[in-house]
């Protein structure tokens, strides 16, 4: 009775790997068509609100101001991501959007693999294709907004949880889950609310062996700390508190 589920959750080789590649290219092509269709619209090159501020901040980073002089007044990861893209490709908003739709296409693959691990190969394929065709995702992947990083980190969290669902006692999976959550917190500060929720899930998922639960919960918290402590230290240096 256990042989088939083990086969379903094995590494994504063979037929599922082909499906994963197909889902990636389906998502990428649709998102690229969307970009080509909107490239002549005013909002494509004229940024307003948060998008304008993110891009200005990113251009400062790309110009060499990596450390900054003020305490971060909002989650900093997206401007730094955009700054790296600008440093590599110049200040082209089109190239920034192409990189974003690549990340959006990876999201679809992660969702597909998480569905496969949680449920079945068929469920994973349906989830991945559904995400590739999901109109809000296509739209937001083309915006200069931090929502594109929300998507990739939420998908990583879901994917790590699917791996933990297979093998709850693997320390490195809980560490990876914590790091993915830490990155999400650097784009959406209120994602810290996921920490107690995931700790509750750990208690429910792991057999009641106190030492093991303590080790795994420590791995989760350590993963979050690895991502957040450098940012907190930087704020301490520039702000004094």
């Amino acid at each position: 009775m256990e042989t088939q589920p083990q086969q379903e959750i094995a590494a994504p080789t063979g037929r599922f790997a082909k499906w994963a590649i197909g889902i990636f290219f389906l998502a990428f092509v649709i998102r690229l068509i969307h970009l080509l269709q909107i490239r002549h619209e005013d909002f494509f090159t004229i940024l307003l609100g948060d998008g304008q501020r993110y891009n200005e901040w990113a251009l400062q980073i790309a110009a060499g101001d990596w450390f900054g002089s003020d305490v971060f007044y909002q989650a900093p990861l997206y401007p730094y991501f955009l700054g790296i893209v600008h440093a590599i490709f110049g200040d082209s908003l089109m190239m920034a959007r192409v990189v974003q739709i690549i990340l959006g296409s990876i999201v679809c693959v992660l969702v597909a693999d998480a569905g496969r691990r949680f449920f079945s190969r068929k469920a994973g394929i349906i989830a991945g294709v559904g995400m590739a065709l999901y109109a809000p995702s296509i739209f937001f992947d083309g915006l200069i907004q931090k929502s594109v990083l929300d998507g990739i980190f939420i998908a990583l969290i879901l994917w790590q949880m699917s791996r933990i669902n297979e093998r709850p006692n693997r320390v490195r999976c809980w560490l990876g889950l914590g790091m993915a959550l830490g990155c999400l917190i650097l784009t959406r500060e209120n994602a810290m609310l996921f920490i107690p929720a995931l700790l509750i899930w750990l208690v429910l998922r792991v057999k009641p062996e106190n030492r093991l639960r303590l080790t795994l919960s420590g791995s989760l918290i350590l993963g979050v700390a690895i991502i957040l402590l450098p940012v907190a230290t930087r704020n301490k240096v520039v702000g004094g508190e």
Side-chain angles (χ1 to χ4, degrees):
M1 294 295 291
E2 295 182 356
T3 303
Q4 183 61 29
Q6 289 175 353
Q7 292 175 349
E8 288 286 341
I9 62 178
T13 57
R15 291 174 59 188
F16 187 80
K18 294 177 181 178
W19 274 103
I21 294 171
I23 288 168
F24 174 87
F25 281 105
L26 172 65
F28 179 78
V29 169
I30 290 174
R31 283 156 176 75
L32 183 60
I33 292 172
H34 170 68
L35 285 187
L36 295 176
Q37 289 178 335
I38 66 171
R39 71 187 186 280
H40 298 303
E41 300 296 332
D42 290 340
F43 68 84
F44 195 84
T45 54
I46 302 175
L47 302 178
L48 301 173
D50 287 342
Q52 181 183 26
R53 178 62 187 123
Y54 292 145
N55 194 56
E56 291 173 351
W57 189 354
L59 290 173
Q60 293 173 4
I61 294 169
D65 187 15
W66 291 89
F67 199 73
S69 58
D70 299 315
V71 173
F72 293 136
Y73 70 94
Q74 61 173 289
L77 190 53
Y78 180 70
Y80 274 85
F81 158 78
L82 199 58
I84 292 172
V85 174
H86 284 331
I88 297 172
F89 298 107
D91 59 356
S92 169
L93 293 176
M94 183 64 174
M95 284 305 304
R97 288 178 164 97
V98 169
V99 173
Q100 290 187 174
I101 67 172
I102 291 173
L103 290 182
S105 302
I106 293 172
V107 166
C108 301
V109 176
L110 290 173
V111 169
D113 196 42
R116 177 184 68 92
R117 292 172 184 270
F118 270 125
F119 302 106
S120 67
R121 182 170 58 191
K122 181 183 292 186
I125 291 169
I126 293 172
V129 172
M131 193 69 188
L133 301 175
Y134 186 51
S137 176
I138 297 168
F139 175 74
F140 281 111
D141 286 346
L143 296 180
I144 302 300
Q145 292 288 344
K146 63 183 179 180
S147 54
V148 65
L149 294 188
D150 296 346
I152 190 70
F153 293 130
I154 290 172
L156 274 172
I157 289 171
L158 183 64
W159 182 70
Q160 285 286 9
M161 290 177 69
S162 71
R163 296 179 68 210
I164 291 169
N165 192 59
E166 296 173 5
R167 298 182 180 179
N169 299 340
R170 297 181 70 177
V171 171
R172 64 181 182 181
C173 289
W174 287 99
L175 180 66
L177 178 60
M179 293 178 69
L181 178 56
C183 290
L184 179 62
I185 292 170
L186 287 184
T187 63
R188 296 285 179 182
E189 300 91 328
N190 56 8
M192 292 187 73
L193 293 172
F194 283 127
I195 296 176
L198 288 175
L199 289 173
I200 293 172
W201 185 63
L202 185 153
V203 171
L204 296 175
R205 191 69 186 85
V206 178
K207 293 180 180 179
E209 301 172 13
N210 291 334
R211 181 175 299 179
L212 178 61
R213 282 181 173 175
L214 184 62
T215 300
L216 296 178
S217 60
S219 299
L220 175 67
I221 299 300
L222 176 62
V224 175
I226 287 172
I227 302 299
L228 296 187
L229 281 180
V231 179
T233 303
R234 180 260 179 207
N235 281 346
K236 168 67 175 177
V237 171
V238 301
E241 60 180 345

